Amino acid sequence: MIRRPMIEVRKLAKHFGRFPVLRSLDLTIRKGEFVALFGRNGAGKTTFLRILAGLSRASSGTMSIQLPDEKRFRFARGAIGYLSHNTSLYTDLTALENLGFYSRLMDAPSDEASLIRKIELVGLAGREREPVRNYSRGMQQRLAIARAFLHDPEILLLDEPFTGLDQGGSEFLKWFLAQAHSEGKTCIVAIHDASLGYEMADRLVVIERGVVALDVPKTSLTLKEFEERYLAVTQTRMRSSVGPNAGNLL
Amino acid sequence: MTHKYRSRLDTALEIILVPGMGLALYMAFIVAPREASMGDLQRIFYFHVAAAIAGMTAFAVNFAASLMYVIRKNRWWDHAALAAAEAGVVFMVMVLITGPIWAKPAWFIWWTWSPRLTSSLVLCLLYVAYLLIRNYIGDPDRKALVSAVFGIIAFVDAPLVWFSIRWWRDHHPGPMLETGGLDPSMRPALYICMAVFQVLMFYLLRRRFRLEGMRDQVESLYRQADLAS
Amino acid sequence: MKRIWAVFRKDLLVELRTKDTLNSMLFFGVVVLVVFNFAMESLRDSVRTAVPGVLWVAFAFSGTLGLNRMFASEKENGCLQGLLMIPVDRGIIYFGKMLAATVFMLIAEVIIFVCSLVFFNLTVWNEIPYLALVFLIGTLGFTAVGTLLSAIAVNTRLREVLLPLLLFPVILPVLVNAVEATGIILNGPDYGALRLPLTVMTVFTVVFGTVSYLLFEHVLED
């Protein structure tokens, strides 16, 4: 099978006024790859994902997303599922109403049976008619997962998805992502936990101060080796940055 | 892209403006005849009308530049739009100040809610709002885009404002050029004032545009310095 | 179309649950009426001539409150982010929101109007269909541009405070014509004279509906 690049990013830069977040980011991701995106806080992971999702405009550089023909939308974002720090849920509505609303927007099946199935899948069976306001943080995150991917997207973007999830939730998310991966979906997960990312992904990318600092396939090194290199990349940068420009790290 | 602080065109404009302003004053106060009923008071009219037209021109420039920014997303257009909005507000304020100065002796009131006056005031408020938005958006790209959107809205709104308040009773002297009400002997003064004010507006717009370009350049220099570190 | 309806239905549903927006709109509208009643003590005999202005000021103020909530509520949990991922033109969010804002405003207007009938001792029966028409078109004009400006305001540092500053200068043509039209109806109906203000308001609505729809995508940000 020929794996053509699904996502191609060239010299991507984003700055908020004087502060550069992404400087010149190059990355090519092929269909079906599972990429774990590492980096310290403020390294530019979130900004990168937001630009990929089409929520934010790059200051310069190019980005192209190639979709398989049968999945082609007028806007590429129709084939992208993005789970951010926000749950994007209406707390006054029930789980069912939330998913129903988003399904109608995203052209996903919006009949009650399939919605309930999705809610059961994330482990919230029996609570689908309760307002989301009553849910705990972890339960909201579970529902947010169901919401973000209810249109069965080709590309899954997740920004620190394990935040707030309990053991069961984490297991579910890992299973869910493995499932998507095995179906040939492209996954990009921003994560700070090295071992968790290593466990799930087949490609490890470290973003540091707005550029790709490390990009290796998992098969090429063990977890221990990766952790060492991850640390090395971020620490040398850290030292050099504690100079007159340290303030820009913020 | 580097911005020179000033160019030859700026010098040329200054060379035109200095004697031009003198000429405008001379024409309005010495050459133009004394108006029969209002006397010397009428002479403010030359500046009032010239400023109004210069202001409108600036707002039209803002509209064009805003539209171009939305299409092209090139910062150049945003700088032009900002410069035009500021220049336009300056001239509109001039209109709103000279108006009452004239109205008090002529109509015995400072202000009347006539269509022309009200429209000028609303127009001025619209562009003050435009400048206000810019103050409260941090990201320069978004600032440029959102203010461009508002610039378009404001300019589309202007004719509607004008037509909506038109049927209110109007005290304001009608447009004398169209009706031929202005004595031919007064016309040279008006035309020269109008021309000089247009040049002045263009000059201010250019300077402001440059300033904004340089600010942008400073920002990108900071970025490069940061990138190199 | 389906998506416009979905956005509208969702806003209505949230409102039915919480009633936050409508309650504050209604309360504020009535407060404005009461305040004006005191401000116009001296006009008590010719109150009919002042009512249209008072009414539309109340509508506009309460409408501003409503418009502010339209996008502020979307930002609370990053819901706008979810909306922005729709696979079609984002302009449809504008229509859904505008529809919801219009319905909220109309509900508030009816109740504020009934209160004003009581407060100002007015009797209207035959005029109601005409008033309804004026309210509808005026409100559409108000929300046509108000929805866009609300999306702008909520993404600035001043947030909700900025909306009235942007909205009122732009909305002036609608207010002038709506007051004029309401005045014509309440003071010796000469329905032929309604045509002009109604036309101007319709033109305003169509022009700004189109412009806002085209520009809406640019002002959205989660």
Side-chain angles (χ1 to χ4, degrees):
Chain A
M1 181 178 144
I2 307 159
R3 298 191 140 188
R4 60 196 174 116
M6 184 165 231
I7 299 170
E8 210 161 4
V9 175
R10 288 280 161 270
K11 293 199 186 320
L12 197 71
K14 173 75 186 178
H15 39 77
F16 295 102
R18 164 177 312 182
F19 302 106
V21 182
L22 300 177
R23 289 141 188 278
S24 178
L25 200 138
D26 292 290
L27 198 61
T28 305
I29 296 169
R30 284 179 300 277
K31 181 173 164 30
E33 277 194 297
F34 195 127
V35 180
L37 214 54
F38 298 95
R40 291 179 295 132
N41 296 339
K45 289 173 294 183
T46 298
T47 307
F48 177 55
L49 288 181
R50 283 177 52 85
I51 292 172
L52 278 184
L55 290 171
S56 190
R57 222 181 301 267
S59 304
S60 61
T62 59
M63 176 193 83
S64 78
I65 294 178
Q66 292 290 331
L67 293 169
D69 290 331
E70 71 277 9
K71 277 273 189 180
R72 200 152 285 172
F73 286 89
R74 205 173 128 219
F75 295 94
R77 58 177 181 255
I80 295 176
Y82 174 49
L83 179 66
S84 69
H85 301 293
N86 298 312
T87 57
S88 301
L89 297 170
Y90 296 91
T91 50
D92 295 309
L93 300 183
T94 66
L96 209 51
E97 287 161 343
N98 265 296
L99 293 196
F101 168 59
Y102 280 110
S103 296
R104 273 184 281 275
L105 281 188
M106 306 300 291
D107 271 338
S110 61
D111 58 295
E112 206 173 289
S114 56
L115 294 179
I116 289 185
R117 211 169 322 120
K118 279 170 184 157
I119 294 171
E120 282 170 354
L121 190 70
V122 295
L124 294 170
R127 308 199 59 170
E128 61 269 353
R129 283 171 215 282
E130 228 176 278
V132 171
R133 190 177 291 288
N134 297 350
Y135 283 20
S136 71
R137 175 79 185 85
M139 288 164 67
Q140 291 197 16
Q141 181 70 0
R142 284 169 186 243
L143 190 61
I145 295 167
R147 184 208 67 78
F149 308 114
L150 50 72
H151 54 303
D152 192 26
E154 275 302 297
I155 301 171
L156 287 74
L157 307 175
L158 297 92
D159 196 355
E160 302 286 358
F162 292 95
T163 317
L165 286 181
D166 58 14
Q167 191 62 36
S170 302
E171 288 306 321
F172 162 73
L173 184 56
K174 272 194 261 179
W175 171 83
F176 176 83
L177 288 174
Q179 189 76 13
H181 187 35
S182 70
E183 283 169 16
K185 303 281 161 63
T186 311
C187 304
I188 306 174
V189 183
I191 197 162
H192 60 263
D193 185 330
S195 63
L196 190 58
Y198 183 89
E199 181 191 335
M200 295 190 301
D202 47 31
R203 183 170 165 193
L204 312 163
V205 173
V206 179
I207 294 185
E208 177 57 31
R209 301 195 68 206
V211 291
V212 172
L214 183 67
D215 181 0
V216 290
K218 176 160 85 172
T219 45
S220 69
L221 73 186
T222 64
L223 173 61
K224 205 160 174 67
E225 285 167 346
F226 170 67
E227 276 179 332
E228 275 161 16
R229 288 187 60 185
Y230 179 18
L231 218 63
V233 174
T234 47
Q235 278 197 336
T236 48
R237 298 272 172 157
M238 180 110 80
R239 224 170 289 126
S240 73
S241 67
V242 184
N245 276 321
N248 289 335
L249 283 171
L250 301 171
Chain B
M1 184 169 69
T2 54
H3 289 271
K4 277 200 299 183
Y5 177 59
R6 48 187 301 128
S7 70
R8 220 171 274 160
L9 183 56
D10 290 317
T11 318
L13 287 173
E14 280 158 19
I15 291 172
I16 297 172
L17 270 176
V18 173
M21 295 291 247
L23 181 64
L25 286 172
Y26 179 72
M27 292 301 289
F29 283 108
I30 313 288
V31 175
R34 206 159 179 277
E35 212 265 354
S37 58
M38 284 180 280
D40 285 329
L41 176 62
Q42 178 266 347
R43 294 181 196 276
I44 203 169
F45 152 86
Y46 300 110
F47 305 106
H48 181 72
V49 172
I53 292 176
M56 305 285 185
T57 315
F59 292 148
V61 171
N62 172 275
F63 172 67
S66 295
L67 208 57
M68 286 310 289
Y69 184 82
V70 170
I71 298 167
R72 292 279 162 80
K73 309 264 183 338
N74 182 337
R75 202 62 78 71
W76 197 91
W77 293 109
D78 178 51
H79 298 165
L82 168 65
E86 283 191 3
V89 169
V90 167
F91 282 100
M92 259 358 238
V93 168
M94 244 186 261
V95 173
L96 292 172
I97 291 173
T98 49
I101 292 179
W102 177 83
K104 184 64 180 166
W107 296 334
F108 308 105
I109 42 171
W110 288 114
W111 184 264
T112 167
W113 292 97
S114 80
R116 235 166 270 265
L117 238 63
T118 315
S119 305
S120 311
L121 178 63
V122 173
L123 208 56
C124 200
L125 289 178
L126 279 171
Y127 285 90
V128 171
Y130 171 93
L131 297 174
L132 209 61
I133 298 180
R134 302 187 64 98
N135 272 333
Y136 296 107
I137 301 179
D139 178 12
D141 291 326
R142 271 198 56 75
K143 171 161 68 185
L145 195 54
V146 169
S147 57
V149 167
F150 191 78
I152 294 170
I153 293 275
F155 196 74
V156 173
D157 198 42
L160 285 162
V161 170
W162 164 239
F163 283 117
S164 301
I165 30 195
R166 188 162 183 175
W167 64 69
W168 294 7
R169 203 161 62 85
D170 195 355
H171 295 267
H172 201 281
M176 286 194 265
L177 285 175
E178 292 158 31
T179 53
L182 187 68
D183 193 87
S185 61
M186 295 175 173
R187 287 189 186 174
L190 179 63
Y191 292 150
I192 285 174
C193 273
M194 274 161 53
V196 170
F197 270 61
Q198 289 290 345
V199 177
L200 178 64
M201 186 274 288
F202 181 62
Y203 175 73
L204 290 176
L205 198 154
R206 262 183 75 80
R207 300 314 308 241
R208 185 65 183 86
F209 173 76
R210 297 240 141 184
L211 178 64
E212 202 56 24
M214 283 185 294
R215 263 188 202 161
D216 222 39
Q217 210 182 341
V218 169
E219 302 245 306
S220 79
L221 282 174
Y222 267 109
R223 272 200 302 278
Q224 279 166 24
D226 192 58
L227 209 62
S229 74
Chain C
M1 209 41 225
K2 191 186 68 179
R3 293 188 177 85
I4 298 176
W5 188 246
V7 172
F8 170 66
R9 240 190 55 153
K10 186 270 300 169
D11 274 354
L12 228 55
L13 200 60
V14 171
E15 191 50 37
L16 278 178
R17 278 290 138 80
T18 62
K19 302 178 191 71
D20 288 346
T21 312
L22 264 178
N23 278 343
S24 55
M25 285 172 78
L26 279 175
F27 183 66
F28 191 47
V30 174
V31 167
V32 171
L33 287 185
V34 173
V35 169
F36 264 96
N37 185 46
F38 287 114
M40 299 187 315
E41 273 286 298
S42 55
L43 283 175
R44 198 173 293 160
D45 301 328
S46 54
V47 81
R48 238 178 142 85
T49 52
V51 167
V54 175
L55 216 48
W56 278 96
V57 168
F59 292 173
F61 282 2
S62 86
T64 310
L65 276 193
L67 283 173
N68 259 331
R69 286 298 304 162
M70 296 312 295
F71 286 95
S73 61
E74 295 291 346
K75 289 198 70 127
E76 266 159 28
N77 267 314
C79 292
L80 199 51
Q81 211 167 51
L83 292 191
L84 288 176
M85 298 298 289
I86 50 167
V88 292
D89 192 67
R90 284 165 178 168
I92 69 113
I93 300 171
Y94 164 76
F95 285 120
K97 284 281 169 190
M98 182 193 157
L99 202 58
T102 308
V103 169
F104 290 172
M105 262 188 85
L106 284 174
I107 295 172
E109 281 171 15
V110 168
I111 297 172
I112 295 170
F113 179 63
V114 171
C115 290
S116 77
L117 294 182
V118 177
F119 290 167
F120 298 111
N121 286 314
L122 298 172
T123 332
V124 286
W125 284 117
N126 303 329
E127 292 93 333
I128 284 178
Y130 295 96
L131 283 173
L133 186 66
V134 171
F135 287 5
L136 176 68
I137 298 181
T139 307
L140 281 173
F142 193 86
T143 53
V145 68
T147 307
L148 178 80
L149 295 179
S150 159
I152 289 181
V154 85
N155 282 314
T156 61
R157 260 187 291 135
L158 275 189
R159 296 228 164 192
E160 286 91 337
V161 182
L162 195 59
L163 180 62
L165 305 184
L166 304 181
L167 182 60
F168 285 123
V170 177
I171 209 69
L172 201 85
V174 172
L175 284 183
V176 169
N177 285 289
V179 170
E180 200 78 9
T182 313
I184 290 170
I185 296 171
L186 289 183
N187 304 300
D190 166 19
Y191 294 126
L194 276 181
R195 196 179 298 155
L196 184 58
L198 285 180
T199 311
V200 178
M201 284 194 285
T202 311
V203 168
F204 185 96
T205 308
V206 172
V207 167
F208 277 104
T210 316
V211 171
S212 304
Y213 166 70
L214 293 174
L215 296 176
F216 192 64
E217 157 127 41
H218 300 300
V219 304
L220 282 179
E221 192 194 48
D222 61 277

